[in-house]
Amino acid sequence: MIPLAWLEQECGGPVDPAALLDHLHESGARAGLHADRVVEVLPPPELAHLGSVRGLAAEVRARNAAGPTAPQRSAPQRSAPPRSVPLPDGLALTAEDGLPGRVAAALVRLPGEVRLPGAAADRLRAAGVPLTGTVADLAAYVGFETGQPLGAADAGGLDLTGLRLGSAGPAGPADPAGPPPGTLLLRAGGRTVAVLGRDAPATAVPADGRDTLVWAWWLDPAAAHPDPDGPPAVRGHDPGSCDRAVARLAELVTDWAGGTVTAAGGAGASAPAPSVLRPDPAELRRLVDPDLDLATLAALLTAGGAVVAPPEEGRPLHVTVPAARPDLDGVPALAGEAARVRGYPTLPRRLPPSAAGPWPDRARLLRRGLTTAALRRGLQQVTTPVLLRAGEPLGAVGTAPAAEPVTVHGRAGLRAMRVRGSLLPGLLDVAGRALRRAGAAHVFEVGQVPRSAGLGDESWRFAAVLAGAVAPPSLVEPRPRTSGFADLNGLLRTAAAAADHEAFELTPEPHAEFAADASFTVRVRGAAVGRAGILSEETAALADAAGERVCCAELDLDLLGGPVPLPPTVRIPDPLPPPAFNVSVVVPEAVSAGEVLRAVARAGGTEEWRVAVKDLLQGGQVPPGHLSLTVRAEFLRTDDGPLREDRRRRREAVLRELADRGWSGR
């Protein structure tokens, strides 16, 4: 909820509500107008700045060339609203040192009953706020406008000379149910006027000419103590928000109730000082638009809320960022702000789908992910034969018992062959040879296995075999550690992560090729997707691995699913570094490094901030009482000649300058 009066004050001129709503809708924000004086904005995540007065004002100024906003021709002409009259001082309000909060207060006097305009009264009634005809109605309305909680109390019984913002101490025996320690309190003498952090409605003080104390508070989100009986108490964007809310309330006291404001004051945390940045205009141009001139670039940053000193060609900009824009903290943020104001607020984070060809499907992404995961765990990828001899001892390993073997018909040399029904036979044959020659086997395969003799009726499988030594001997373990089921379980966890699953479920179930006490079915959400276990002694002997502990696993990738494909991301390539040259200079110890850098920059025709010391030597071949500085100087090209000649010319100019100063350089 942003009052148009505040928006017009921030913009420095009248704002046409219809044009403002049109712009917000074009930007992708949901917006509406309430009572012709308050705009309600629901911005999308990428345009969150539209939800604040300053951010919306920056958009309005940018739409109107960073000048006062003029209404459209069809709208009635209005003069610019006057600036808020400064509140009178005189309300003494102090605060303890270092408190993470602020209070602003004012002393007002209402001559009679408060009658809100019809639209404002209807808004409070719709929100369920009872109208009292007192200053509480004004406080509730300003709270709806600003999101800032306000309070009010009769000033007749308060010590206005002892108003103080403090923190609550430990609860004593007289008041065990007092506020928690550290809670911020507004006190008047020895009386607690308000506990800050609790959104209690303002007291309905009778409007009969008596003095009324009104206040608003702000708490630092990083250090505020929340109310234990409610949500965290974080109110306001900055310490000045409570002062602005009190000023708005004082304005309504004068305009709507015919009252007067006697005194005002504030205490506590103050607004942080603005930060100063000195960005390189060339870097900003590269990120926004290389063809931008300095004046336009400065105007874009000014429209975003920063203060830019008159720019000078060849020198960094002097940008003062207000405390209300902590997001503008460097060159990338400034470039993004300038691009947004210039007209690029909805750049997509990802490229749209390609119409030239299909994206990688889930099955392909899954196979690629499993292959990468297995390789990173140190396994070797192999490709085993698809055809096995009918009398192969390992031919039936891993094949479902009821599966009909797919035989080969045709040439005489292939009549005794059958198509593999699992990846394990070929992997076990490779593992047996590796164990005999190297004493270890850590292999895997990703391949296809037919489900039937039908054309194309195949499924992709992932199988792995771990056997033999996995770690060399050491002082702690004189003998090499051999593979165990824990190593296979770790591989399965990695495979689950590659398939976008938290973990596999291992259910003990018998399989013909595995030992009875180490045979499992691999499941995902209760559905079987493969098998895992340790080979039985009989099966290990068939694989020429008698006496070895051979851990195996096989997964059906068609049952496993896969990760969801993502569109390709946009990556802007990093720019090439600027050209540079190096010089080494020997100077007396009394000469400062800054003097050397200034001399190199001046003679090399570059800026001082582009010159830096890269190395420092003392002693050895360096004469006593001297230092050897290695200086690197970057520069920007000023002509289209050969780069090597430009670099040599600049370096020779630096060497001549060093010689004129009596320094040794090379």
Side-chain angles (χ1 to χ4, degrees), residues 197-463:
R198 298 178 181 175
D199 293 346
T203 304
V205 181
D208 54 0
R210 69 181 67 185
D211 288 336
T212 303
L213 180 68
V214 294
W215 66 86
W217 53 268
W218 172 86
L219 295 182
D220 186 357
H225 292 273
D227 184 359
D229 300 328
V234 178
R235 296 293 183 270
H237 302 288
D238 60 86
S241 60
C242 57
D243 297 75
R244 294 191 295 270
V246 169
R248 174 62 171 163
L249 179 62
E251 180 183 356
L252 297 185
V253 165
T254 305
D255 295 345
W256 290 358
T260 57
V261 182
T262 306
S270 57
S275 58
V276 177
L277 303 176
R278 299 185 64 84
D280 180 15
E283 182 70 6
L284 288 174
R285 286 168 171 164
R286 182 187 68 81
L287 295 174
V288 181
D289 187 349
D291 298 330
L292 278 179
D293 58 273
L294 274 181
T296 304
L297 184 61
L300 292 174
L301 295 176
T302 302
V307 179
V308 184
E312 300 181 15
E313 195 68 42
R315 299 183 64 85
L317 293 175
H318 190 280
V319 181
T320 303
V321 180
R325 293 300 304 271
D327 54 310
L328 301 182
D329 55 357
V331 171
L334 289 175
E337 184 72 5
R340 177 187 65 79
V341 172
R342 192 167 183 258
Y344 307 142
T346 56
L347 284 175
R349 296 187 178 183
R350 296 185 182 275
L351 283 176
S354 173
W359 291 347
D361 57 348
R362 298 183 65 176
R364 185 180 303 177
L365 290 175
L366 177 60
R367 296 195 296 270
R368 185 190 308 167
L370 290 176
T371 301
T372 303
L375 291 174
R376 287 179 175 175
R377 289 190 68 90
L379 278 70
Q380 293 182 341
Q381 185 177 11
V382 299
T383 303
T384 60
V386 175
L387 299 180
L388 305 175
R389 295 189 179 277
E392 179 72 29
L394 294 172
V397 173
T399 305
E404 184 70 22
V406 180
T407 58
V408 179
H409 302 277
R411 294 179 55 185
L414 298 178
R415 287 177 183 174
M417 307 293 286
R418 67 174 57 177
V419 183
R420 64 186 180 184
S422 169
L423 299 181
L424 288 180
L427 275 181
L428 290 175
D429 184 58
V430 173
R433 294 197 302 268
L435 282 171
R436 292 194 302 271
R437 296 185 181 182
H442 308 116
V443 293
F444 78 98
E445 182 179 5
V446 178
Q448 293 167 289
V449 172
R451 283 188 287 256
S452 68
L455 181 63
D457 188 13
E458 300 173 326
S459 66
W460 282 89
R461 303 283 184 89
F462 169 84

Side-chain angles (χ1 to χ4, degrees), residues 21 27 147 263 285 301 316 320 592 596 662:
L21 293 180
S27 301
R285 286 168 171 164
L301 295 176
T320 303
S592 68
V596 176

